[in-house]
Amino acid sequence: MRYSPTLLDHFLNPRNAGLMREPDGTGVDEYEGCGDLARFFLRVRDGRVTEVRFQTYGCGPTIAAASAASEKVVDRPVEELLNLKAQEVEDAVEGLPEDRKHAADVVAGALRAAALDALRRREGEA
Amino acid sequence: MTRRVYLDHNASTPVHPDVVAEMLPYFGERFGNPSSVHGFGREARAGVDLARERIARFMKVPADEVVFTSGGTESDNMALKGLAFARGKGHLITSRIEHHAVLRAAQWLETQGFTVTYVGVDEHGMVDPDEVKRAIRPDTIGISIMHANSEAGTIQPVAAIGALARERGIPFHVDAVQTFGKLDFDVNACGIDLLSFSAHKIYGPKGVAGFWIRKGIKVQAVQHGGEHERRRRAGTENVPAIVGFGKAVEIRGRDMKAEHERLTGLRDRLWEGIRARVPDVRLNGHPTERLPGTANLSYRGVESESIVLGLDLKGIGVSAGSACTAGSVEPSYVLVAMGLPLDWAMGAVRHSLGRSTTVEDIDYVIESVEPIVRKLRAAMPVGAA
């Protein structure tokens, strides 16, 4: 099989898929030249991520990577997500084939953008 | 055990058991080289001759006009390059929805000093014979239009184009890889001069195909070497595969018409069933002038490969109309040529039915696809495509 059981499970039963009302941060990333897109919504309390929602457009691995990553970032300080690496997202789905690595890139990119948005909004309020 | 349903017969088909039985002796006891003079060679030669006769009988053409090649791609290359180089210079006409074997051969010929006109298609994927007529120039040396496209399945008006070509004495090549042995047609009545057709699309083995050249049509050999195939295609014949090809064609002669009707019914059941359950879905290709087993459906706003993966996990094999590879996403050039908007083209899935497909298979696919598309749409941002 080309994809790990974890990846297939997240693809078939995505966790945290959908929209969020009044999020504290949103971020989008699109893979250049490819239609793949991920959008994340974060709820942040006391500097930590308490809730995540996502939407994706792309091949199966992108959906799975977004779902797996959404579970990994809950309870973490939002600052930490500014440095989220694609490798961590890839590890969350137990690896990606060479021609699908961009799934992790786009998900990590969208999460970093959402974290940055949340921090900027907080600074704006301060 | 998960049910397994194969709906990718336009890609390849399982070899018919009778074909396998016919091939087996040619790997062992009748292994000889058909060019050898001795008894071992003669046995192999007899197998190749019988296959050629079976195919010629099916096509209603003289057997010595049939050439065996390694595949549809080689036959198409031989047609375009063979026609071009036998004439040295000139202009070719083909369409934008041809198989890459024709398109890229034509594009390469453009780098060698030939000129090519690529005619378009309408929303159903149909070439307009009038557009072909307008493209004809005094220096036109060949016309190549496929009989049916593998993705959309639309059947082209080859008889009308053949009549045009014949009127002007221009050789007419038809890539019939998707129709040979599936549709009943006559190369003479259609005014065809060269035909490419393949074994593995009709329950024969891979690695063998046919190329028919009407007597009197000059075609330069592309591959040089021995005296094989009347010097039209050098190289030791793939004897077991050729033998299997002949048998496969013979079986098609017997089964083709009944299967045509059966598959058309199943194909329409699939479309009606999905249409009744899934919103925002459309059928690509001509509503009626289409390959009996082909249903290309687009799910708006969903990415093809996700649906293919979802169905794969249910044991169903279909193919994606768009290919997502690192760095670029490629909607089907055929669907784009048909003017399909991108948000539809990206969600195209081709189902191609065949000999083994049952009503139960079709109903299983209909049941399976609805929740997959629903879940995918739930995770997709609206209007992201």
Side-chain angles (χ1 to χ4, degrees), chain B residues 162-209:
Chain B
L164 281 174
R166 186 159 285 182
E167 219 171 81
R168 288 162 177 77
I170 301 166
F172 180 35
H173 168 247
V174 170
D175 172 352
V177 166
Q178 291 295 345
T179 57
F180 186 84
K182 295 183 193 171
L183 300 182
D184 193 12
F185 68 99
D186 184 321
V187 287
N188 293 310
C190 292
I192 299 168
D193 299 308
L194 308 113
L195 195 84
S196 301
F197 51 101
S198 178
H200 78 108
K201 310 289 189 190
I202 51 166
Y203 313 99
K206 294 172 182 63
V208 65

Side-chain angles (χ1 to χ4, degrees), chain B residues 120 183 211 218 271 276 307 333:
Chain B
L183 300 182
F211 184 48
K218 283 199 173 56
W271 164 231
I307 302 173
Y333 66 96

Side-chain angles (χ1 to χ4, degrees), chain A residues 11-12 55-59 100, chain B residues 303 305-306 324 375 379-381:
Chain A
F11 168 68
L12 284 176
Q55 292 183 308
T56 61
Y57 178 82
C59 40
R100 292 292 180 275
Chain B
E303 202 268 341
E305 226 180 73
S306 301
C324 172
K375 277 191 199 173
M380 301 266 170

Side-chain angles (χ1 to χ4, degrees), chain B residues 39-53:
Chain B
F40 302 91
R42 289 199 303 274
E43 280 173 3
R45 167 63 54 203
V48 172
D49 286 347
L50 175 62
R52 204 185 309 273
E53 277 160 27

Side-chain angles (χ1 to χ4, degrees), chain B residues 97-362:
Chain B
I97 61 156
E98 298 299 309
H99 189 274
H100 280 130
V102 166
L103 279 181
R104 292 190 176 146
Q107 287 160 1
W108 181 78
L109 285 168
E110 287 186 275
T111 70
Q112 304 300 305
F114 295 89
T115 52
V116 182
T117 300
Y118 301 87
V119 299
V121 292
D122 68 11
E123 65 192 291
H124 299 306
M126 188 87 82
V127 170
D128 178 1
D130 277 340
E131 195 181 341
V132 175
K133 190 177 178 178
R134 288 194 296 273
I136 295 173
R137 311 191 320 204
D139 65 338
T140 301
I141 55 170
I143 300 173
S144 180
I145 301 289
M146 70 192 334
H147 197 184
N149 178 271
S150 65
E151 290 183 46
T154 300
I155 299 164
Q156 303 302 335
V158 289
I161 298 165
L164 281 174
R166 186 159 285 182
E167 219 171 81
R168 288 162 177 77
I170 301 166
F172 180 35
H173 168 247
V174 170
D175 172 352
V177 166
Q178 291 295 345
T179 57
F180 186 84
K182 295 183 193 171
L183 300 182
D184 193 12
F185 68 99
D186 184 321
V187 287
N188 293 310
C190 292
I192 299 168
D193 299 308
L194 308 113
L195 195 84
S196 301
F197 51 101
S198 178
H200 78 108
K201 310 289 189 190
I202 51 166
Y203 313 99
K206 294 172 182 63
V208 65
F211 184 48
W212 169 73
I213 314 167
R214 182 187 295 285
K215 203 157 284 160
I217 301 290
K218 283 199 173 56
V219 174
Q220 169 68 50
V222 173
Q223 185 158 304
H224 301 94
E227 306 293 309
H228 316 86
E229 299 295 289
R230 296 173 172 252
R231 301 179 75 176
R232 289 170 298 195
R233 198 270 183 182
T236 299
E237 298 87 344
N238 182 356
V239 179
I242 288 171
V243 166
F245 191 9
K247 183 66 182 174
V249 171
E250 187 193 61
I251 296 170
R252 297 312 294 168
R254 186 189 72 201
D255 296 350
M256 185 171 73
K257 280 182 185 162
E259 192 177 289
H260 186 297
E261 273 180 41
R262 197 181 73 86
L263 291 186
T264 303
L266 289 177
R267 172 197 84 180
D268 294 344
R269 182 187 182 93
L270 178 75
W271 164 231
E272 295 300 335
I274 291 176
R275 175 157 72 161
R277 284 167 184 77
V278 183
D280 265 354
V281 59
R282 58 169 283 166
L283 174 76
N284 302 316
H286 198 281
T288 55
E289 294 301 302
R290 192 152 44 89
L291 284 173
T294 303
N296 186 314
L297 309 183
S298 274
Y299 300 90
R300 190 156 70 100
V302 191
E303 202 268 341
S304 302
E305 226 180 73
S306 301
I307 302 173
V308 172
L309 178 58
L311 288 171
D312 182 36
L313 294 170
K314 303 286 275 177
I316 300 165
V318 295
S319 70
S322 67
C324 172
T325 50
S328 77
V329 70
E330 299 284 343
S332 147
Y333 66 96
V334 175
L335 299 179
V336 169
M338 286 161 61
L340 199 65
L342 200 62
D343 58 337
W344 286 101
M346 294 298 290
V349 177
R350 180 189 70 187
H351 314 73
S352 49
L353 290 53
R355 209 168 75 82
S356 63
T357 312
T358 63
V359 173
E360 291 74 28
D361 289 342
I362 294 302

Side-chain angles (χ1 to χ4, degrees), chain A residues 20 30 33 36-37 40 43 55 65 75 85 92 96 103-104 116:
Chain A
M20 182 186 285
E30 195 169 348
D36 276 15
L37 176 147
F40 274 86
R43 180 94 57 224
Q55 292 183 308
D75 286 340
K85 298 281 190 293
L96 286 165
L116 187 65

